[in-house]
Amino acid sequence: TVFPLAPAVAAARKAWGEAPSRSTDEFDKFVVRTEAPVTALDFSSDGLTLAVAMGIKFVLYKSSLILNQATAATAKPFATMCVVESKPITALSFNPSSDAELSRYFATVGGGVASLWKLDGASFTFIDRTKDMEATSLCWSPKGKQLVVGQATGVITQFDLDLKPKGCPFYVEAKKSA
């Protein structure tokens, strides 16, 4: 599988305080080849790491390698993890906090389960997973102290960094068009 990195390159360079030195058209030359279809991806808040989900596995790349046209095509991940759920990862997200400790957390959704992880160098620590919910999506609070998980049932639940529910879940009802 091949995925173009034009938007990711522009975002990373902006995050690093660099002005793009090439036109957006030239960013299309930055391509990373993966061994399976990409189902989700996200940059870390510092822009140094790109997480790529491919089925039940996710890998981490050093951004400096994939954002360099000379090394993008041969970039290898520095860390790999297979999730225990046998369903593909459909969402993943790094904690957006600029705090060094909080920014090491990231979350995945796959097979109706949200899982919380902590990255330590090239190794992963599994923290916990949700139980008895049909998780479909997730996002972090702006400060990265809470994780919000959406469910197929329309329920949205807020969690702390131990994946313990905070407050009461709430239901979002979709308006029906006439």
Side-chain angles (χ1 to χ4, degrees), residues 11-29:
R13 289 203 172 161
K14 184 177 179 183
W16 295 340
E18 295 179 14
S21 59
R22 300 179 176 95
S23 71
T24 304
D25 293 338
E26 289 188 51
F27 286 141
D28 290 333
K29 296 176 185 172

Side-chain angles (χ1 to χ4, degrees), residues 34-108:
T34 60
E35 60 192 54
V38 174
T39 56
L41 53 117
D42 191 29
F43 267 108
S44 60
S45 63
D46 60 9
L48 299 178
T49 306
L50 175 67
V52 179
M54 298 171 284
I56 63 168
K57 141 175 153 174
F58 57 90
V59 297
L60 302 180
Y61 290 95
K62 291 184 179 182
S63 301
S64 60
L65 294 177
I66 63 170
L67 300 180
N68 180 332
Q69 189 174 351
T71 58
T74 58
K76 301 286 183 222
F78 70 87
T80 301
M81 173 61 79
C82 287
V83 294
V84 290
E85 294 82 23
S86 60
K87 305 278 182 163
I89 297 169
T90 56
L92 62 80
S93 182
F94 275 99
N95 187 309
S97 176
S98 59
D99 177 271
E101 181 65 21
L102 291 178
S103 66
R104 293 178 10 199
Y105 286 87
F106 65 98
T108 59

